[in-house]
Amino acid sequence: MSLVQYSDSEGSESESATKHTPRQPVNTTLKRRRSSEEPSSDLPSLPDSFHDLYASTTRASQHDDPSLHNGHPSRSEIDELSNLLSHAESTLPSDLHLHSLLKSDLGAELPLHISLSRTLMLATHQRQTFTNDLEEGISASGVRPFTIGPGRLRWVANYEHNRWFLVVQMEKPPGDELNKLLVASNRVARSFGQPRLYARQESVIAPSAIARDKGQIRFSRGKRARLLDARSRVSSQSAIIDDDASEHFHVSIGWTLEKPYEGSSDEADIRMGEQAMSKLSMVVQMVKVKVGNGIVSIPLWAKTVESNGIAGTASYPRDEELRTALMQITGTAAHECVCDNALVHLKSYKYSSVDKSLISRYILKHYWNGFVELLPLWLAPNMVTLLGFFCILANVILLEIFMPDLVGPGPSWLYYSFAFGVWMYSTMDNIDGKQARRTGQSSGLGELFDHGIDSLNCTLASLFETAALGLGASPKGVFTALIPCLPMFFSTWETYHTHTLYLGYFNGPTEGLIIACAMMMLSGYYGPQIWSQPITDLINYPGIFGSVSLLDIWFPVIFGTFLFIHLPACVVNVVKARRANDLPVAPVFTEWLPIIIFTGSCAAWLYSPYSTLMQENRLVLFCLTMSFVFGRMTTKIILAHLTRQPFPLWTVMLAPLIGGAVLGNLPLLGLSAVTASVELWYLRAYFVFALVVYFRWALLVINSICDYLGINCLTITPKAGPHPSTASAKHQTASTPKGVRAANGELSRKVD
């Protein structure tokens, strides 16, 4: 059995004090009597975030202190462990002192840990990347919370043979979860050139050496780039790892400075009765990564899932069979990511984006930097985003009043208003992050709010383009109004896997919006009929364009750009990210299911020869409804990305869309077609349903995040001054502890 390499450089003063302390026998009888007489507290247990915060503020020891983590044993478990200590001490010479790890010197109960980690030396710029990759690896391992029981009671020496630990060796869990977590953790450690734990043969491979090998993959996230070796190369050069490392997993409950047994072996068993440890068990629910002074919790699951639908909000157990059964009964969405174990990732989240647009970099950047200085510092960043969206909503109202048929021609000022509204929306969308940095209000909620508004806008701003082209509620008008949903979905899907928003040299949010605004202004000056005229009337090259108009090439240009440029780029980036993290690629394509259902249902409903929506000019109402449906669908992906949760494959708001597609094609099923009035009322009911469900869900998510992070959504959050205890803690001298352990209720991994 191997132990974590604990540092013994505690200091001569403390060590000498320990050696000269008179031996006091472990009085388990007294402990049990006190625990039985003490009244049970009705106070709720402290949340994991409290222990994380406590561990990240002060460290008064140079060794791996279990009190830095959560995982306290129960009263009955303390009694059992005290019995073990008492039994072990009875086998020791009278002059040998056994130090307990169950309680501190002040009598406070200490957490217990399963040893499953080691200290890694990483550069500062690698720490966040390592944490992100480890989160992905733990999530991809598929390990769920599990219970593990005790095996043998043993003495085990540390590497320096200057301390002997009394440990409870843990039995192998039925699902072999500890070995799976070990493999996932070692895989990430190896990708950073770090040694793996419990390797029989190991040498540290420098990252440069890994990068020089063949089969390497370049994986970029923002401004960083890592070179990772292909799996076959790593396996051929790596150390020999035991297939089953179960014999190494243990819990330390005591220690001594002198050898407690005879012989030259590093280990020795203590004979116990078969029932001596039968009442002990540990429930492992999360992995904790200790990076310097900070701790990040990686839950193996969420204890409950907040699910919101038209029937309300409820919490469900995460047990897969029970959760699935409950979700099938209620018909509500199964993934909202608003429990504490999910929201904990927001504290370590950092926004990452890459914008290669030359216009953004060399022109608009200066415009945005100047514009944001005009905003008052009391204006919250999310309010900036919302003000931009109000420009879109105001123009939707103007569109419905002055040009409801989307054909026109409408008044010239209306087209100019469309262009101004879209431009102001784009401006606000690009400066809200700058305003967040100016006011010190940056958070994961900002990205969720920003991209959530972008999702709502996809089917609204495109209505202005439909009207500017004079397409109306025609097949091309439907295509123009709904096509922005495709690139938006796949960009969100790409961000979920790469954790970086990629914008190419020619992208929709920059060049696309500029072209759209220019076309709206041209429609205001020349009228929308300009787009129906042959191109040769504008450019005298009849041999090239013939009688083709701009509307004739509109569909192939827009759809071809998405299909042959945008979509392949997203797929390539996702594939690179999956391979770089040693994850399978094929499962990610099942995540296209929501957009396939959305697109297929919209097309089946609107383009059906039996549907009356286009004939009755209901495109604006349809797009308003789809704004909420698509907004919910993509914002759930963004939320899952922020909280490191599984990809959401379904939203309850898609169900009525499927129903509409069926309703519009009843004759194909041998039934009579519905009347225009019935179809209209169905669409109106769908709109109300989508409106209510979306805003109830949005309020649930926003309030949960604000409460968890202690921030405001639409107002500036006041900055609290440092607490006196926190200020004084900064002056305490402490060095980074070595060794990493897994706790009762959690697994922990540290990085110095």
Side-chain angles (χ1 to χ4, degrees):
M1 174 189 287
S2 300
L3 276 176
V4 172
Q5 187 173 0
Y6 303 111
S7 172
D8 63 337
S9 57
E10 185 74 4
S12 58
E13 182 178 349
S14 61
E15 188 169 322
S16 62
T18 302
K19 290 182 178 179
H20 290 85
T21 302
R23 181 190 177 206
Q24 298 179 356
V26 179
N27 191 344
T28 57
T29 304
L30 179 59
K31 291 183 179 179
R32 287 195 299 272
R33 186 182 303 118
R34 287 179 178 175
S35 63
S36 62
E37 294 176 358
E38 290 176 356
S40 60
S41 174
D42 294 332
L43 295 176
S45 58
L46 292 173
D48 296 334
S49 56
F50 171 83
H51 297 282
D52 294 350
L53 179 63
Y54 176 78
S56 63
T57 55
T58 176
R59 291 174 298 154
S61 173
Q62 294 178 345
H63 67 275
D64 189 41
D65 188 355
S67 64
L68 296 178
H69 307 286
N70 195 7
H72 296 274
S74 65
R75 294 288 184 182
S76 60
E77 291 172 337
I78 291 179
D79 290 342
E80 293 294 328
L81 293 170
S82 298
N83 287 335
L84 295 180
L85 281 172
S86 179
H87 176 78
E89 190 171 32
S90 66
T91 65
L92 299 178
S94 58
D95 59 342
L96 193 59
H97 179 47
L98 176 60
H99 301 265
S100 173
L101 292 176
L102 301 182
K103 290 190 176 183
S104 67
D105 295 338
L106 298 178
E109 296 177 0
L110 299 177
L112 298 179
H113 302 72
I114 300 174
S115 174
L116 182 62
S117 45
R118 74 187 308 159
T119 299
L120 303 180
M121 304 302 295
L122 296 175
T124 302
H125 69 276
Q126 292 180 311
R127 293 181 176 182
Q128 185 60 46
T129 305
F130 177 86
T131 303
N132 293 341
D133 289 355
L134 187 59
E135 288 180 354
E136 294 177 2
I138 295 297
S139 176
S141 69
V143 175
R144 303 175 59 79
F146 59 95
T147 301
I148 188 171
R152 296 178 294 174
L153 187 65
R154 316 191 71 189
W155 287 107
V156 181
N158 66 354
Y159 288 95
E160 293 86 1
H161 290 79
N162 53 12
R163 288 191 186 186
W164 283 260
F165 288 85
L166 179 63
V167 305
V168 178
Q169 183 174 334
M170 308 307 294
E171 292 184 341
K172 183 177 180 179
D176 201 18
E177 288 87 355
L178 288 176
N179 279 313
K180 291 178 181 178
L181 290 173
L182 179 64
V183 170
S185 300
N186 279 336
R187 182 176 295 155
V188 177
R190 193 63 173 175
S191 69
F192 282 79
Q194 297 293 329
R196 291 186 278 189
L197 185 62
Y198 300 138
R200 293 180 306 196
Q201 218 175 344
E202 183 79 88
S203 60
V204 179
I205 298 180
S208 59
I210 297 178
R212 287 193 300 268
D213 195 14
K214 296 181 179 179
Q216 63 189 13
I217 303 170
R218 184 176 182 85
F219 176 40
S220 301
R221 281 185 183 168
K223 296 182 179 179
R224 68 179 178 84
R226 273 197 299 116
L227 294 174
L228 300 178
D229 192 24
R231 282 176 287 180
S232 59
R233 298 289 179 176
V234 171
S235 60
S236 64
Q237 298 182 5
S238 62
I240 302 174
I241 303 290
D242 291 330
D243 293 334
D244 188 355
S246 299
E247 65 175 17
H248 301 296
F249 305 137
H250 60 273
V251 176
S252 299
I253 61 175
W255 62 276
T256 180
L257 290 173
E258 299 180 18
K259 192 173 183 179
Y261 55 88
E262 297 180 357
S264 58
S265 174
D266 291 343
E267 306 174 12
D269 290 341
I270 299 178
R271 293 184 178 180
M272 299 290 295
E274 293 182 359
Q275 304 298 325
M277 296 184 290
S278 59
K279 297 181 180 179
L280 298 178
S281 64
M282 302 181 75
V283 179
V284 182
Q285 295 179 337
M286 69 177 63
V287 174
K288 287 201 172 184
V289 188
K290 182 165 179 57
V291 185
N293 283 342
I295 290 182
V296 177
S297 298
I298 306 177
L300 299 181
W301 72 331
K303 296 179 182 178
T304 59
V305 175
E306 296 290 346
S307 182
N308 180 276
I310 192 63
T313 304
S315 297
Y316 296 99
R318 188 71 177 205
D319 180 80
E320 189 65 28
E321 294 181 0
L322 178 59
R323 180 178 67 88
T324 302
L326 289 173
M327 292 304 170
Q328 290 174 348
I329 294 173
T330 60
T332 55
H335 186 79
E336 304 306 346
C337 310
V338 292
C339 59
D340 285 354
N341 285 345
L343 296 180
V344 68
H345 299 286
L346 294 175
K347 293 185 176 181
S348 60
Y349 175 76
K350 291 185 178 180
Y351 178 71
S352 175
S353 66
V354 175
D355 188 354
K356 298 181 179 179
S357 170
L358 299 180
I359 295 178
S360 295
R361 187 180 306 175
Y362 296 108
I363 300 176
L364 293 180
K365 179 179 70 173
H366 306 289
Y367 161 71
W368 294 327
N369 290 338
F371 197 99
V372 74
E373 295 296 331
L374 302 177
L375 302 181
L377 292 176
W378 52 261
L379 186 62
N382 290 334
M383 182 57 74
V384 175
T385 309
L386 200 58
L387 289 175
F389 188 56
F390 286 159
C391 295
I392 298 295
L393 294 180
N395 277 280
V396 171
I397 296 174
L398 294 177
L399 173 66
E400 185 65 16
I401 295 175
F402 293 99
M403 198 167 52
D405 62 353
L406 305 180
V407 177
S412 297
W413 63 266
L414 184 61
Y415 298 103
Y416 296 140
S417 178
F418 292 161
F420 177 77
V422 172
W423 182 256
M424 289 307 300
Y425 168 79
S426 175
T427 299
M428 296 298 185
D429 187 47
N430 281 282
I431 67 173
D432 52 6
K434 299 179 185 297
Q435 179 73 353
R437 289 184 286 274
R438 287 180 71 215
T439 57
Q441 303 290 303
S442 299
S443 69
L445 178 62
E447 179 179 354
L448 181 68
F449 198 88
D450 182 290
H451 293 289
I453 295 295
D454 290 340
S455 300
L456 291 174
N457 183 54
C458 278
T459 61
L460 299 182
S462 56
L463 284 173
F464 309 151
E465 190 70 16
T466 303
L469 295 174
L471 296 174
S474 64
K476 289 184 178 179
V478 170
F479 167 80
T480 304
L482 297 178
I483 188 61
C485 295
L486 291 178
M488 180 66 186
F489 176 87
F490 284 101
S491 290
T492 307
W493 172 71
E494 176 190 24
T495 303
Y496 175 85
H497 289 286
T498 64
H499 306 294
T500 297
L501 174 63
Y502 290 98
L503 297 175
Y505 293 101
F506 188 95
N507 59 75
T510 303
E511 288 78 8
L513 285 179
I514 292 176
I515 294 175
C517 290
M519 295 178 68
M520 295 172 195
M521 295 179 67
L522 289 173
S523 294
Y525 189 81
Y526 294 103
Q529 62 274 8
I530 185 179
W531 311 111
S532 302
Q533 296 178 8
I535 299 178
T536 54
D537 291 351
L538 305 174
I539 305 175
N540 190 19
Y541 289 99
I544 299 178
F545 299 104
S547 61
V548 176
S549 67
L550 288 174
L551 285 184
D552 293 331
I553 64 173
W554 177 253
F555 175 84
V557 169
I558 298 300
F559 188 71
T561 301
F562 161 75
L563 188 62
F564 299 109
I565 298 179
H566 184 84
L567 181 59
C570 293
V571 172
V572 168
N573 288 333
V574 170
V575 170
K576 286 182 178 179
R578 298 285 292 185
R579 289 178 176 173
N581 289 279
D582 200 16
L583 298 174
V585 174
V588 302
F589 297 106
T590 62
E591 297 165 355
W592 292 9
L593 179 64
I595 194 63
I596 292 175
I597 294 176
F598 178 84
T599 306
S601 298
C602 288
W605 190 358
L606 293 176
Y607 289 118
S608 170
Y610 309 104
S611 174
T612 61
L613 293 184
M614 282 198 292
Q615 299 173 14
E616 298 293 326
N617 191 31
R618 306 300 178 184
L619 185 56
V620 173
L621 179 59
F622 186 87
C623 286
L624 284 171
T625 306
M626 292 306 105
S627 173
F628 295 115
V629 176
F630 183 76
R632 169 78 175 266
M633 187 171 69
T634 53
T635 308
K636 286 184 66 175
I637 302 174
I638 299 167
L639 181 59
H641 153 62
L642 295 175
T643 56
R644 305 282 177 169
Q645 299 300 300
F647 190 93
L649 296 175
W650 174 255
T651 171
V652 68
M653 296 172 72
L654 287 174
L657 182 59
I658 299 175
V662 174
L663 187 69
N665 291 276
L666 288 179
L668 297 179
L669 303 177
L671 302 175
S672 300
V674 297
T675 63
S677 177
V678 171
E679 191 172 17
L680 175 60
W681 279 107
Y682 182 89
L683 180 59
R684 287 172 176 170
Y686 188 11
F687 171 76
V688 174
F689 171 80
L691 178 70
V692 173
V693 172
Y694 181 88
F695 277 105
R696 292 192 66 186
W697 171 80
L699 290 175
L700 167 69
V701 172
I702 292 175
N703 289 336
S704 299
I705 294 177
C706 289
D707 291 342
Y708 187 82
L709 297 179
I711 61 176
N712 301 329
C713 179
L714 298 178
T715 58
I716 296 293
T717 304
K719 295 183 180 180
H723 192 275
S725 60
T726 305
S728 61
K730 294 181 179 179
H731 298 285
Q732 296 184 9
T733 302
S735 60
T736 304
K738 295 184 179 180
V740 190
R741 302 180 178 180
N744 181 15
E746 66 197 40
L747 298 177
S748 63
R749 185 177 187 94
K750 296 182 182 176
V751 184
D752 285 347

